[in-house]
Amino acid sequence: MVGITVQTASGRRYTLQCRHQQEVAGLKHQIEHATGLPGEKLKLVHKGKTVDQDYVALSESDVVLVMVTRGPTPVHPAHDEDDEDVAVEPEETKVRLPANASNIERKLLLRLRHDWHLPEYVLMVVFAVHLQTWLIFVAWLASIPIAHAMSIGPLYILGSLILVIFRNLGKRQPGEASAYSIFNDFQELPGQLNAGRLDEQLRHGHM
């Protein structure tokens, strides 16, 4: 017998004793008895993949995710041999990846949610940023000790800030004013607050 953890969609966890080669129908019956969820509507996810066989191989401390399906469980098309390692994202979760998400992103979501147990709002923040942006940010952090060792730490930080500003300037349409007056021949933008206008408002009691 092995001890496993069953986790529902609401985050509740239950400990069950099962066989190493456990019959799925029997496992669902145990889950129904422990959680009160209808066994015939349960969908099980083990190690990132939907349990769709009659038996499942379990090990000590394994985590099995449990969800209640609202309708018939969709039949996933058979994968080629090269797609055997593709992770299946659990359904009825708050954070959903787009259809064109890479397999790396899907596996990362499963690991962060089920192995690290990160809250959904943290996952929303993590996956709101593109994976390439995260990789650039990690590379930037890794370069800080190198810049510090070369005694150019402040210059590295300042140069990074300037680069971020220029990367986010975007593309202007012909005749469109920039948000930075330096790119508009130092002409003020409509409604821009400057020292002269502030002094005028103070003199006329408009502040």
Side-chain angles (χ1 to χ4, degrees):
M1 302 292 286
V2 294
I4 68 168
T5 299
V6 173
Q7 180 174 331
T8 65
S10 62
R12 294 185 177 181
R13 301 166 70 88
Y14 303 84
T15 301
L16 300 178
Q17 294 294 323
C18 304
R19 299 179 182 276
H20 178 66
Q21 288 291 336
Q22 175 65 47
E23 185 180 13
V24 174
L27 178 58
K28 289 184 177 181
H29 179 74
Q30 284 187 262
I31 295 173
E32 180 179 10
H33 180 74
T35 65
L37 300 175
E40 68 276 7
K41 294 184 179 181
L42 292 181
K43 178 180 179 180
L44 309 181
V45 177
H46 179 238
K47 295 183 178 180
K49 295 186 178 181
T50 303
V51 178
D52 53 6
Q53 305 293 331
D54 293 333
Y55 286 84
V56 57
L58 300 173
S59 302
E60 187 70 28
S61 302
D62 275 1
V63 177
V64 176
L65 306 176
V66 180
M67 289 160 284
V68 179
T69 57
R70 297 181 180 179
T73 303
V75 178
H76 297 282
H79 297 290
D80 295 332
E81 292 182 0
D82 295 337
D83 296 331
E84 289 181 355
D85 294 331
V86 176
V88 179
E89 181 186 353
E91 298 177 357
E92 300 182 6
T93 55
K94 294 182 180 179
V95 178
R96 291 183 178 274
L97 296 177
N100 60 349
S102 66
N103 189 38
I104 295 178
E105 291 175 311
R106 296 181 184 276
K107 288 185 177 181
L108 179 61
L109 175 59
L110 292 171
R111 180 170 294 275
L112 293 178
R113 176 183 285 134
H114 305 311
D115 293 347
W116 292 14
H117 308 293
L118 292 183
E120 291 296 327
Y121 64 87
V122 175
L123 295 177
M124 290 180 184
V125 173
V126 171
F127 287 93
V129 181
H130 196 273
L131 180 60
Q132 182 180 2
T133 304
W134 280 116
L135 294 177
I136 294 174
F137 179 68
V138 171
W140 180 82
L141 288 179
S143 301
I144 291 180
I146 300 176
H148 177 71
M150 299 174 63
S151 301
I152 58 172
L155 183 61
Y156 178 77
I157 300 296
L158 181 60
S160 300
L161 293 176
I162 295 175
L163 179 62
V164 169
I165 291 175
F166 276 89
R167 288 281 297 176
N168 288 275
L169 289 178
K171 295 183 180 180
R172 288 187 292 159
Q173 300 297 328
E176 182 181 4
S178 172
Y180 301 93
S181 60
I182 188 175
F183 299 113
N184 299 324
D185 297 327
F186 295 96
Q187 296 180 1
E188 296 181 3
L189 297 175
Q192 180 177 344
L193 182 64
N194 55 25
R197 186 171 291 109
L198 181 61
D199 179 68
E200 181 181 353
Q201 292 179 358
L202 287 172
R203 291 176 183 275
H204 292 82
H206 294 161
M207 294 293 291

